[in-house]
Amino acid sequence: MAVPVGAADEPLEGAAILAMARGAAGGDDWANARTLTLSGHAVFYGPKGHEPRTRASSYRMWRVFDPDRTVAHGADGKVRIIAKDTDKLIFEVGYDGETTWTERGITPKADADKFWASNFGFGIIRQANKPGFVATRLPDDDVGGHALYMVELTDPNGGKTLFGIDQQSYAIRTMGFRTPRGWHLRVYDDFVRLEDPRWLQARHVTLYYDGRKSNEVFWTETKVNAEIDPALFAPPSQ
């Protein structure tokens, strides 16, 4: 008879699982990273049909992390994303710590809050071992043939994020939360490990809203703690 993973040991609690995920992701190097720069390409799907709506041959993201983050699904730190098809701009979005903007100009705060509430969520796992955060283990699952521990992380403000942790490697395989656009799920795959600093990066990320695939991102270059010019995040001049 097959013995389930962990059956011979004491059941793992949510906090212990997230602690092992932290170690697998890169430990303190990963949790305390200052910046992240990613580049690759992406595919975007529309609300109808099966063919891609848009392909971004160049998809780039710059992040400056907030080490004191406590809100899972609100804007934090700084971010800029640029999607292009060759030299044609598809979209861009930026946040300088106060103001959100796109290629169309400044985004009103109410609209910006709704946008970030549908997109920000993964990074809160870096804060999981801090006071005020609660990790609750939920029923195990299986995604893409990978057995997962499922852990719901609640931030100090009550925001909830569901993480799927690989039972073998402890890599973070999935992340999900409720958004204004419905239930948002991300699936992470094709991992590569950086050594200095330690960092586990998923090169293939698939995003879903209410069970429908929205887009796929394929990261081909990762830089951690590289210097980023603050002007990169500044809103366009009016």
Side-chain angles (χ1 to χ4, degrees), residues 33-58:
R34 295 179 291 103
T35 71
L36 175 64
T37 304
L38 295 170
S39 61
H41 59 278
V43 181
F44 298 88
Y45 300 90
K48 297 181 180 180
H50 68 284
E51 293 290 344
R53 179 183 61 185
T54 309
R55 295 182 184 271
S57 58
S58 174

PDB file of all heavy atoms in Angstrom, residues 33-58:
ATOM      1  N   ALA A  33      15.249  40.653  -0.837  1.00  0.00           N
ATOM      2  CA  ALA A  33      15.709  41.266  -2.089  1.00  0.00           C
ATOM      3  C   ALA A  33      15.207  42.703  -2.197  1.00  0.00           C
ATOM      4  O   ALA A  33      14.091  43.023  -1.784  1.00  0.00           O
ATOM      5  CB  ALA A  33      15.223  40.455  -3.280  1.00  0.00           C
ATOM      6  N   ARG A  34      16.039  43.560  -2.740  1.00  0.00           N
ATOM      7  CA  ARG A  34      15.678  44.982  -2.897  1.00  0.00           C
ATOM      8  C   ARG A  34      14.978  45.249  -4.218  1.00  0.00           C
ATOM      9  O   ARG A  34      14.006  46.000  -4.274  1.00  0.00           O
ATOM     10  CB  ARG A  34      16.942  45.840  -2.792  1.00  0.00           C
ATOM     11  CG  ARG A  34      17.622  45.800  -1.428  1.00  0.00           C
ATOM     12  CD  ARG A  34      18.876  46.655  -1.428  1.00  0.00           C
ATOM     13  NE  ARG A  34      19.939  46.081  -2.254  1.00  0.00           N
ATOM     14  CZ  ARG A  34      20.275  46.492  -3.467  1.00  0.00           C
ATOM     15  NH1 ARG A  34      19.630  47.519  -4.022  1.00  0.00           N
ATOM     16  NH2 ARG A  34      21.249  45.920  -4.141  1.00  0.00           N
ATOM     17  N   THR A  35      15.494  44.663  -5.296  1.00  0.00           N
ATOM     18  CA  THR A  35      14.922  44.904  -6.618  1.00  0.00           C
ATOM     19  C   THR A  35      14.874  43.611  -7.420  1.00  0.00           C
ATOM     20  O   THR A  35      15.597  42.648  -7.134  1.00  0.00           O
ATOM     21  CB  THR A  35      15.740  45.937  -7.420  1.00  0.00           C
ATOM     22  OG1 THR A  35      16.982  45.354  -7.817  1.00  0.00           O
ATOM     23  CG2 THR A  35      15.989  47.196  -6.610  1.00  0.00           C
ATOM     24  N   LEU A  36      14.028  43.624  -8.442  1.00  0.00           N
ATOM     25  CA  LEU A  36      13.927  42.498  -9.371  1.00  0.00           C
ATOM     26  C   LEU A  36      13.662  43.061 -10.764  1.00  0.00           C
ATOM     27  O   LEU A  36      12.776  43.898 -10.950  1.00  0.00           O
ATOM     28  CB  LEU A  36      12.788  41.559  -8.963  1.00  0.00           C
ATOM     29  CG  LEU A  36      12.479  40.396  -9.913  1.00  0.00           C
ATOM     30  CD1 LEU A  36      13.660  39.433  -9.991  1.00  0.00           C
ATOM     31  CD2 LEU A  36      11.218  39.661  -9.472  1.00  0.00           C
ATOM     32  N   THR A  37      14.432  42.588 -11.727  1.00  0.00           N
ATOM     33  CA  THR A  37      14.253  42.970 -13.121  1.00  0.00           C
ATOM     34  C   THR A  37      14.073  41.696 -13.940  1.00  0.00           C
ATOM     35  O   THR A  37      14.916  40.799 -13.896  1.00  0.00           O
ATOM     36  CB  THR A  37      15.468  43.753 -13.649  1.00  0.00           C
ATOM     37  OG1 THR A  37      15.704  44.893 -12.815  1.00  0.00           O
ATOM     38  CG2 THR A  37      15.242  44.208 -15.080  1.00  0.00           C
ATOM     39  N   LEU A  38      12.954  41.613 -14.675  1.00  0.00           N
ATOM     40  CA  LEU A  38      12.649  40.439 -15.482  1.00  0.00           C
ATOM     41  C   LEU A  38      12.375  40.859 -16.914  1.00  0.00           C
ATOM     42  O   LEU A  38      11.783  41.911 -17.156  1.00  0.00           O
ATOM     43  CB  LEU A  38      11.414  39.707 -14.938  1.00  0.00           C
ATOM     44  CG  LEU A  38      11.526  39.087 -13.547  1.00  0.00           C
ATOM     45  CD1 LEU A  38      10.149  38.618 -13.072  1.00  0.00           C
ATOM     46  CD2 LEU A  38      12.503  37.927 -13.546  1.00  0.00           C
ATOM     47  N   SER A  39      12.789  40.028 -17.855  1.00  0.00           N
ATOM     48  CA  SER A  39      12.476  40.283 -19.254  1.00  0.00           C
ATOM     49  C   SER A  39      12.203  38.970 -19.956  1.00  0.00           C
ATOM     50  O   SER A  39      12.726  37.919 -19.576  1.00  0.00           O
ATOM     51  CB  SER A  39      13.611  41.039 -19.949  1.00  0.00           C
ATOM     52  OG  SER A  39      14.806  40.280 -19.928  1.00  0.00           O
ATOM     53  N   GLY A  40      11.342  39.033 -20.970  1.00  0.00           N
ATOM     54  CA  GLY A  40      10.984  37.837 -21.717  1.00  0.00           C
ATOM     55  C   GLY A  40       9.939  38.174 -22.750  1.00  0.00           C
ATOM     56  O   GLY A  40       9.989  39.238 -23.383  1.00  0.00           O
ATOM     57  N   HIS A  41       8.954  37.283 -22.928  1.00  0.00           N
ATOM     58  CA  HIS A  41       7.857  37.540 -23.854  1.00  0.00           C
ATOM     59  C   HIS A  41       6.571  37.014 -23.242  1.00  0.00           C
ATOM     60  O   HIS A  41       6.590  36.274 -22.248  1.00  0.00           O
ATOM     61  CB  HIS A  41       8.116  36.912 -25.232  1.00  0.00           C
ATOM     62  CG  HIS A  41       8.308  35.431 -25.203  1.00  0.00           C
ATOM     63  ND1 HIS A  41       9.516  34.835 -24.882  1.00  0.00           N
ATOM     64  CD2 HIS A  41       7.453  34.401 -25.458  1.00  0.00           C
ATOM     65  CE1 HIS A  41       9.406  33.513 -24.950  1.00  0.00           C
ATOM     66  NE2 HIS A  41       8.154  33.231 -25.287  1.00  0.00           N
ATOM     67  N   ALA A  42       5.435  37.405 -23.831  1.00  0.00           N
ATOM     68  CA  ALA A  42       4.147  37.061 -23.226  1.00  0.00           C
ATOM     69  C   ALA A  42       3.089  36.867 -24.310  1.00  0.00           C
ATOM     70  O   ALA A  42       3.222  37.352 -25.440  1.00  0.00           O
ATOM     71  CB  ALA A  42       3.700  38.157 -22.258  1.00  0.00           C
ATOM     72  N   VAL A  43       2.037  36.134 -23.920  1.00  0.00           N
ATOM     73  CA  VAL A  43       0.886  35.886 -24.791  1.00  0.00           C
ATOM     74  C   VAL A  43      -0.367  36.273 -24.027  1.00  0.00           C
ATOM     75  O   VAL A  43      -0.542  35.868 -22.870  1.00  0.00           O
ATOM     76  CB  VAL A  43       0.800  34.401 -25.216  1.00  0.00           C
ATOM     77  CG1 VAL A  43      -0.389  34.190 -26.142  1.00  0.00           C
ATOM     78  CG2 VAL A  43       2.093  33.950 -25.877  1.00  0.00           C
ATOM     79  N   PHE A  44      -1.257  37.043 -24.657  1.00  0.00           N
ATOM     80  CA  PHE A  44      -2.484  37.508 -24.017  1.00  0.00           C
ATOM     81  C   PHE A  44      -3.691  36.971 -24.775  1.00  0.00           C
ATOM     82  O   PHE A  44      -3.715  36.989 -26.013  1.00  0.00           O
ATOM     83  CB  PHE A  44      -2.525  39.037 -23.983  1.00  0.00           C
ATOM     84  CG  PHE A  44      -1.410  39.652 -23.199  1.00  0.00           C
ATOM     85  CD1 PHE A  44      -0.195  39.954 -23.808  1.00  0.00           C
ATOM     86  CD2 PHE A  44      -1.553  39.908 -21.841  1.00  0.00           C
ATOM     87  CE1 PHE A  44       0.853  40.505 -23.089  1.00  0.00           C
ATOM     88  CE2 PHE A  44      -0.513  40.470 -21.114  1.00  0.00           C
ATOM     89  CZ  PHE A  44       0.686  40.762 -21.727  1.00  0.00           C
ATOM     90  N   TYR A  45      -4.689  36.502 -24.013  1.00  0.00           N
ATOM     91  CA  TYR A  45      -5.899  35.933 -24.597  1.00  0.00           C
ATOM     92  C   TYR A  45      -7.087  36.838 -24.324  1.00  0.00           C
ATOM     93  O   TYR A  45      -7.148  37.513 -23.294  1.00  0.00           O
ATOM     94  CB  TYR A  45      -6.160  34.537 -24.026  1.00  0.00           C
ATOM     95  CG  TYR A  45      -5.029  33.574 -24.305  1.00  0.00           C
ATOM     96  CD1 TYR A  45      -3.969  33.433 -23.417  1.00  0.00           C
ATOM     97  CD2 TYR A  45      -5.007  32.818 -25.473  1.00  0.00           C
ATOM     98  CE1 TYR A  45      -2.919  32.568 -23.679  1.00  0.00           C
ATOM     99  CE2 TYR A  45      -3.969  31.945 -25.747  1.00  0.00           C
ATOM    100  CZ  TYR A  45      -2.922  31.827 -24.843  1.00  0.00           C
ATOM    101  OH  TYR A  45      -1.881  30.966 -25.103  1.00  0.00           O
ATOM    102  N   GLY A  46      -8.074  36.833 -25.226  1.00  0.00           N
ATOM    103  CA  GLY A  46      -9.261  37.644 -25.075  1.00  0.00           C
ATOM    104  C   GLY A  46     -10.374  36.888 -24.382  1.00  0.00           C
ATOM    105  O   GLY A  46     -10.235  35.711 -24.046  1.00  0.00           O
ATOM    106  N   PRO A  47     -11.525  37.534 -24.166  1.00  0.00           N
ATOM    107  CA  PRO A  47     -12.643  36.895 -23.466  1.00  0.00           C
ATOM    108  C   PRO A  47     -13.355  35.842 -24.299  1.00  0.00           C
ATOM    109  O   PRO A  47     -14.117  35.030 -23.772  1.00  0.00           O
ATOM    110  CB  PRO A  47     -13.582  38.066 -23.160  1.00  0.00           C
ATOM    111  CG  PRO A  47     -13.269  39.087 -24.224  1.00  0.00           C
ATOM    112  CD  PRO A  47     -11.801  38.948 -24.491  1.00  0.00           C
ATOM    113  N   LYS A  48     -13.125  35.825 -25.635  1.00  0.00           N
ATOM    114  CA  LYS A  48     -13.766  34.852 -26.505  1.00  0.00           C
ATOM    115  C   LYS A  48     -12.730  34.238 -27.443  1.00  0.00           C
ATOM    116  O   LYS A  48     -11.729  34.857 -27.769  1.00  0.00           O
ATOM    117  CB  LYS A  48     -14.875  35.507 -27.328  1.00  0.00           C
ATOM    118  CG  LYS A  48     -16.025  36.073 -26.507  1.00  0.00           C
ATOM    119  CD  LYS A  48     -17.084  36.685 -27.408  1.00  0.00           C
ATOM    120  CE  LYS A  48     -18.243  37.243 -26.577  1.00  0.00           C
ATOM    121  NZ  LYS A  48     -19.294  37.856 -27.456  1.00  0.00           N
ATOM    122  N   GLY A  49     -13.014  33.008 -27.872  1.00  0.00           N
ATOM    123  CA  GLY A  49     -12.130  32.350 -28.819  1.00  0.00           C
ATOM    124  C   GLY A  49     -10.918  31.737 -28.142  1.00  0.00           C
ATOM    125  O   GLY A  49     -10.635  31.991 -26.969  1.00  0.00           O
ATOM    126  N   HIS A  50     -10.191  30.922 -28.923  1.00  0.00           N
ATOM    127  CA  HIS A  50      -9.056  30.215 -28.348  1.00  0.00           C
ATOM    128  C   HIS A  50      -7.710  30.767 -28.807  1.00  0.00           C
ATOM    129  O   HIS A  50      -6.668  30.452 -28.215  1.00  0.00           O
ATOM    130  CB  HIS A  50      -9.114  28.725 -28.718  1.00  0.00           C
ATOM    131  CG  HIS A  50      -8.888  28.457 -30.179  1.00  0.00           C
ATOM    132  ND1 HIS A  50      -9.849  28.697 -31.130  1.00  0.00           N
ATOM    133  CD2 HIS A  50      -7.811  27.995 -30.846  1.00  0.00           C
ATOM    134  CE1 HIS A  50      -9.387  28.375 -32.321  1.00  0.00           C
ATOM    135  NE2 HIS A  50      -8.140  27.949 -32.177  1.00  0.00           N
ATOM    136  N   GLU A  51      -7.719  31.591 -29.850  1.00  0.00           N
ATOM    137  CA  GLU A  51      -6.466  32.123 -30.363  1.00  0.00           C
ATOM    138  C   GLU A  51      -5.987  33.305 -29.502  1.00  0.00           C
ATOM    139  O   GLU A  51      -6.802  34.035 -28.943  1.00  0.00           O
ATOM    140  CB  GLU A  51      -6.643  32.596 -31.809  1.00  0.00           C
ATOM    141  CG  GLU A  51      -6.903  31.483 -32.800  1.00  0.00           C
ATOM    142  CD  GLU A  51      -5.687  30.618 -33.033  1.00  0.00           C
ATOM    143  OE1 GLU A  51      -4.565  31.058 -32.664  1.00  0.00           O
ATOM    144  OE2 GLU A  51      -5.850  29.506 -33.569  1.00  0.00           O
ATOM    145  N   PRO A  52      -4.677  33.488 -29.406  1.00  0.00           N
ATOM    146  CA  PRO A  52      -4.166  34.644 -28.668  1.00  0.00           C
ATOM    147  C   PRO A  52      -4.682  35.952 -29.247  1.00  0.00           C
ATOM    148  O   PRO A  52      -4.824  36.098 -30.465  1.00  0.00           O
ATOM    149  CB  PRO A  52      -2.647  34.533 -28.841  1.00  0.00           C
ATOM    150  CG  PRO A  52      -2.400  33.080 -29.079  1.00  0.00           C
ATOM    151  CD  PRO A  52      -3.585  32.610 -29.886  1.00  0.00           C
ATOM    152  N   ARG A  53      -4.982  36.887 -28.367  1.00  0.00           N
ATOM    153  CA  ARG A  53      -5.409  38.211 -28.800  1.00  0.00           C
ATOM    154  C   ARG A  53      -4.210  39.056 -29.187  1.00  0.00           C
ATOM    155  O   ARG A  53      -4.236  39.804 -30.170  1.00  0.00           O
ATOM    156  CB  ARG A  53      -6.195  38.900 -27.676  1.00  0.00           C
ATOM    157  CG  ARG A  53      -6.685  40.300 -28.004  1.00  0.00           C
ATOM    158  CD  ARG A  53      -7.379  40.918 -26.806  1.00  0.00           C
ATOM    159  NE  ARG A  53      -6.464  41.046 -25.667  1.00  0.00           N
ATOM    160  CZ  ARG A  53      -6.829  41.468 -24.461  1.00  0.00           C
ATOM    161  NH1 ARG A  53      -8.092  41.764 -24.220  1.00  0.00           N
ATOM    162  NH2 ARG A  53      -5.934  41.562 -23.488  1.00  0.00           N
ATOM    163  N   THR A  54      -3.136  38.940 -28.378  1.00  0.00           N
ATOM    164  CA  THR A  54      -1.935  39.739 -28.585  1.00  0.00           C
ATOM    165  C   THR A  54      -0.712  38.926 -28.151  1.00  0.00           C
ATOM    166  O   THR A  54      -0.778  38.166 -27.195  1.00  0.00           O
ATOM    167  CB  THR A  54      -1.975  41.040 -27.747  1.00  0.00           C
ATOM    168  OG1 THR A  54      -3.207  41.720 -27.978  1.00  0.00           O
ATOM    169  CG2 THR A  54      -0.817  41.961 -28.090  1.00  0.00           C
ATOM    170  N   ARG A  55       0.375  39.127 -28.868  1.00  0.00           N
ATOM    171  CA  ARG A  55       1.653  38.540 -28.470  1.00  0.00           C
ATOM    172  C   ARG A  55       2.646  39.671 -28.239  1.00  0.00           C
ATOM    173  O   ARG A  55       2.804  40.540 -29.115  1.00  0.00           O
ATOM    174  CB  ARG A  55       2.186  37.587 -29.538  1.00  0.00           C
ATOM    175  CG  ARG A  55       1.317  36.354 -29.767  1.00  0.00           C
ATOM    176  CD  ARG A  55       1.944  35.439 -30.808  1.00  0.00           C
ATOM    177  NE  ARG A  55       1.089  34.301 -31.122  1.00  0.00           N
ATOM    178  CZ  ARG A  55       1.111  33.148 -30.480  1.00  0.00           C
ATOM    179  NH1 ARG A  55       1.975  32.976 -29.485  1.00  0.00           N
ATOM    180  NH2 ARG A  55       0.299  32.157 -30.821  1.00  0.00           N
ATOM    181  N   ALA A  56       3.283  39.652 -27.089  1.00  0.00           N
ATOM    182  CA  ALA A  56       4.307  40.653 -26.783  1.00  0.00           C
ATOM    183  C   ALA A  56       5.675  40.002 -26.960  1.00  0.00           C
ATOM    184  O   ALA A  56       6.065  39.142 -26.167  1.00  0.00           O
ATOM    185  CB  ALA A  56       4.146  41.171 -25.361  1.00  0.00           C
ATOM    186  N   SER A  57       6.373  40.401 -27.997  1.00  0.00           N
ATOM    187  CA  SER A  57       7.700  39.830 -28.234  1.00  0.00           C
ATOM    188  C   SER A  57       8.698  40.317 -27.191  1.00  0.00           C
ATOM    189  O   SER A  57       9.729  39.682 -26.950  1.00  0.00           O
ATOM    190  CB  SER A  57       8.184  40.183 -29.636  1.00  0.00           C
ATOM    191  OG  SER A  57       8.228  41.599 -29.815  1.00  0.00           O
ATOM    192  N   SER A  58       8.373  41.451 -26.568  1.00  0.00           N
ATOM    193  CA  SER A  58       9.190  41.988 -25.476  1.00  0.00           C
ATOM    194  C   SER A  58       8.275  42.320 -24.308  1.00  0.00           C
ATOM    195  O   SER A  58       7.341  43.116 -24.450  1.00  0.00           O
ATOM    196  CB  SER A  58       9.933  43.250 -25.916  1.00  0.00           C
ATOM    197  OG  SER A  58      10.622  43.844 -24.818  1.00  0.00           O
TER     198      SER A  58
END
